[in-house]
Structures are given as structure tokens and as C-alpha cells.
Amino acid sequence: MKVWIDITNAPHVRFFKDIIEYLQEEGENVIITTRKFGDIHNLMKLFGFDFISIGKHGVSLAEKLKESTKRAYKLSKLIIEEKPDVGVSKHSIELPRVTFGLKIPSVYILDNEHALAANRLTLPLCERIIMPEVIDLWDVIKIGADPNSIIRYKGTSEILHFQNFKYNDKIFEDLKLELKKEKTILMRPEPALASYLDADCHKSVLTPIVEMLKDHANILIIPRFREQAELFKGYENVTILKPPVDTFSLMKKCDLMIGAGGTMNREAALLGTPVISCYPGKTLAVDKFYIENGLMHRSTDVDEIVKLALRLLLDDKKPPKIETDDLFKIIIENIYNAVNRD
């Protein structure tokens, strides 16, 4: 069997890592395509995966349209030649269009019901959509998803990231961090370049939070791009980390996670680290899952976030455990079932 996996965002590398390795160990031929965006290439090289890079990320709406159109064309030429048996992706704009056009079975992993532009372009074309049960069915059906194509599971996509995770307790030492305070906070700025968030890449909602917490704890920041890194330079007790780093061990080692995004917040929650989400957009259903289960706090008010952070830094309570489905098994079964549908 030949499987085509399209990876279009850095967190998706970790998401697909164990799936790729499993398929390869089973003797399947796996073709991996990526695009130039963030740390995708560095992470792919870190895990030792061969890949074909096609296209890049566009910033403005006009650039997104042009780059996506060019990428779909180039991917079409490759896939016509490779003839995969199935295509697999997580929020790739181009894979559903190419697989639909070439009548190739597809498996699509969804976890953001608010990415309306992307979902309108993809969900109506997807043969199998795997999504958390916490997402309202109507939110995807009303934009064209076939209800018969939807496979739901308990949990969120991040549960797959820790399939073979090994915690490095010496991560601070390995990164040669000079930490002067007793407590350490990890922060992640907002996805300012994403189409689903109206944000200015030259600003961050974290800046005033850093200003008020820098004297209380060590602050580690993992920016998404160069402009974001520039925003936090010059602060005392603030360290800007350059990816790729072992973010899982970092999240587990830190005393608190404050994130203006989504994936790392949910990963930290699963690792048992207290989390404050200050994502500036509408709350995602997958975040509500962690909030309702007592694994995440949410606020966009700076004073409230600072007060909550100071309290959580002193709180030694262990977070509750949650039950989730085996997402790895669900995805693998659907890849094989999509090929053997007849």
C-alpha cells in the first residue's frame, strides 16, 4: 500500500510521527509532502523523515490564495505520477482537493471548527473526517461535511503526540538555561499568521503579561517567527528559545504554561502542567474539553491572568486524569479501511 501524508504545520510533524513509523514498519510505502512554513523542515530532519517540500505559506489573503493554488497544481503533478492508494492529512488545504479530483480515498483529521475558510474548502471533499466528539456536528455539517463521513472520538488530537514520549528531566541543563527564579513559566505567542485569527504579527497579547510576571518567575518563550521573537528581547528573566527543542519535556518541567495558541496549551494540560489560555480568538471546542475537565484555565484579561498565574505557581494540587479514546488505532484502522472500502 502506498500512503500519501501531507504535513502543512509544525505541530503536525509530531502528530504524524508514530503513524508514519508504524506504516513504514508494516512495510507500507509512505510519501510525505510538506511546505515551507515555520519549523516543519527542521522537525522532519530531526525525526529523520524523508520528505518532498512543495510550496510555501502565504501571509496576506491574496498570497494565501496564490500559494495554495500553485501548491495544489504542483502536488497534482506529483500525485498523478506516484498514484498513492490513500491520502492522509490534518487541516491540509490542498490534499482533499487533489485526492477528490483524482478519486483517491482520503482520511482527514479535524480539530478546529473555527477555521471557516479552510473548512469550507476541504470538508465537503473529504471522504473520512476524524474529529473530537466535543466539536458540535452542526458546525461541520453546515459548511458542507457529509455527516456519513464523520468519525468521532473522545479527547483531542494532542493525545497522539505522546505515544512514545520519554521525559528528559534535565532539559533545563541541556539547554544551558540560566534561571534565577525558583519558578519557571513557558509561554507561546498567538498564531498571528494563521488565516483563522485576525492578529498583528508585530504585536502579541503576551507582552503585557511578560512585563508583569518577569519579576516573579523565569519566563521561557517559544516564538513562532522572527518578528515575534523581537517583541520579547531585552526583558530581564526572559529567555527566547529557538526551535526545534524538546517542547514536551520543557512543558512538563515548567511550573506553568501561558499560551496564546492552542496545541501547546493542550499538550501541557495532558502532561499535567497548569495551563492558562489567553488565545485572542473564539474559544475552540477542543479547549473547552480541557477547561471543563479542570486541566486548563482561560482568560484574555491581563490582570486576571497575572493573578491566576501567581496563584497557580504556588498551587501543588495534581490535575485530574481524563479518559480518552485510542486515536492512533482509530486513524490506522481508517487508513486501511479507506483503501479496502470495496
Side-chain angles (χ1 to χ4, degrees):
M1 180 174 70
K2 184 180 285 191
V3 183
W4 169 33
I5 297 179
D6 189 34
I7 296 177
T8 57
N9 203 356
H12 303 172
V13 181
R14 294 188 186 277
F15 179 85
F16 282 113
K17 176 180 179 293
D18 293 306
I19 293 171
I20 293 168
E21 291 176 346
Y22 175 85
L23 291 170
Q24 290 176 335
E25 288 170 4
E26 289 294 304
E28 313 298 359
N29 184 356
V30 182
I31 305 165
I32 308 170
T33 54
T34 66
R35 62 175 177 170
K36 187 179 180 182
F37 182 46
D39 298 301
I40 297 176
H41 293 173
N42 289 334
L43 285 168
M44 293 294 289
K45 291 172 184 175
L46 182 68
F47 293 138
F49 292 137
D50 293 328
F51 61 94
I52 302 168
S53 183
I54 294 177
K56 62 182 180 179
H57 177 268
V59 177
S60 68
L61 285 177
E63 288 175 349
K64 289 181 191 298
L65 176 61
K66 288 191 291 184
E67 294 302 334
S68 181
T69 302
K70 287 193 288 187
R71 189 167 190 267
Y73 171 69
K74 292 178 181 178
L75 283 171
S76 297
K77 292 178 68 176
L78 173 70
I79 298 309
I80 288 170
E81 184 178 324
E82 291 288 346
K83 295 181 176 61
D85 299 294
V86 62
V88 187
S89 68
K90 185 174 188 283
H91 284 280
S92 164
I93 301 293
E94 293 80 29
L95 182 138
R97 298 165 74 182
V98 174
T99 52
F100 180 81
L102 297 175
K103 295 185 178 180
I104 297 170
S106 66
V107 177
Y108 192 83
I109 294 93
L110 169 78
D111 64 4
N112 186 342
E113 74 276 21
H114 295 159
L116 295 179
N119 290 346
R120 287 182 186 279
L121 290 169
T122 55
L123 299 189
L125 306 179
C126 295
E127 186 174 290
R128 291 167 186 256
I129 302 170
I130 300 175
M131 71 177 205
E133 62 182 24
V134 72
I135 293 179
D136 190 330
L137 273 174
W138 177 242
D139 283 337
V140 294
I141 293 173
K142 69 183 180 183
I143 56 176
D146 180 354
N148 296 312
S149 70
I150 297 170
I151 301 105
R152 305 173 83 191
Y153 66 94
K154 186 175 183 178
T156 70
S157 63
E158 287 75 21
I159 60 180
L160 197 62
H161 295 189
F162 304 103
Q163 190 84 358
N164 294 301
F165 169 57
K166 294 180 181 178
Y167 174 49
N168 176 14
D169 185 52
K170 296 182 178 179
I171 184 66
F172 286 174
E173 292 90 334
D174 290 351
L175 291 174
K176 297 179 173 59
L177 299 177
E178 296 181 9
L179 306 177
K180 300 176 183 178
K181 303 290 183 180
E182 181 183 352
K183 299 289 185 175
T184 302
I185 304 172
L186 181 63
M187 296 190 186
R188 177 72 158 169
E190 58 269 45
L193 298 178
S195 61
Y196 54 81
L197 183 65
D198 183 14
D200 185 345
C201 65
H202 300 288
K203 297 179 182 178
S204 175
V205 297
L206 289 180
T207 308
I209 300 170
V210 169
E211 184 70 45
M212 296 177 72
L213 288 175
K214 62 182 175 60
D215 295 328
H216 298 275
N218 310 299
I219 296 176
L220 310 179
I221 298 178
I222 303 180
R224 296 172 184 271
F225 46 86
R226 182 175 52 80
E227 289 85 354
Q228 278 187 338
E230 295 293 327
L231 297 174
F232 303 100
K233 285 186 176 178
Y235 285 108
E236 189 176 355
N237 298 326
V238 174
T239 303
I240 300 168
L241 300 176
K242 185 178 180 181
V245 296
D246 182 358
T247 54
F248 295 170
S249 292
L250 263 179
M251 286 185 279
K252 189 172 178 65
K253 185 73 172 178
C254 286
D255 301 286
L256 176 65
M257 171 80 196
I258 300 179
T263 300
M264 284 184 64
N265 286 349
R266 296 186 289 272
E267 289 172 340
L270 285 170
L271 288 167
T273 300
V275 178
I276 302 173
S277 168
C278 55
Y279 175 64
K282 189 177 178 182
T283 306
L284 293 174
V286 287
D287 287 341
K288 290 178 183 176
F289 173 80
Y290 290 98
I291 294 168
E292 291 168 359
N293 280 280
L295 296 172
M296 184 187 295
H297 304 268
R298 172 156 172 79
S299 177
T300 54
D301 180 88
V302 173
D303 290 333
E304 186 179 6
I305 292 168
V306 171
K307 288 178 183 176
L308 182 57
L310 294 175
R311 179 172 67 80
L312 290 172
L313 287 173
L314 299 175
D315 192 348
D316 293 327
K317 273 198 280 184
K318 291 184 178 179
K321 291 185 177 180
I322 56 172
E323 292 184 7
T324 61
D325 290 330
D326 189 341
L327 181 56
F328 177 83
K329 181 180 178 182
I330 291 170
I331 293 173
I332 292 296
E333 285 181 349
N334 274 279
I335 289 173
Y336 281 97
N337 289 341
V339 175
N340 300 319
R341 57 185 174 174
D342 298 329

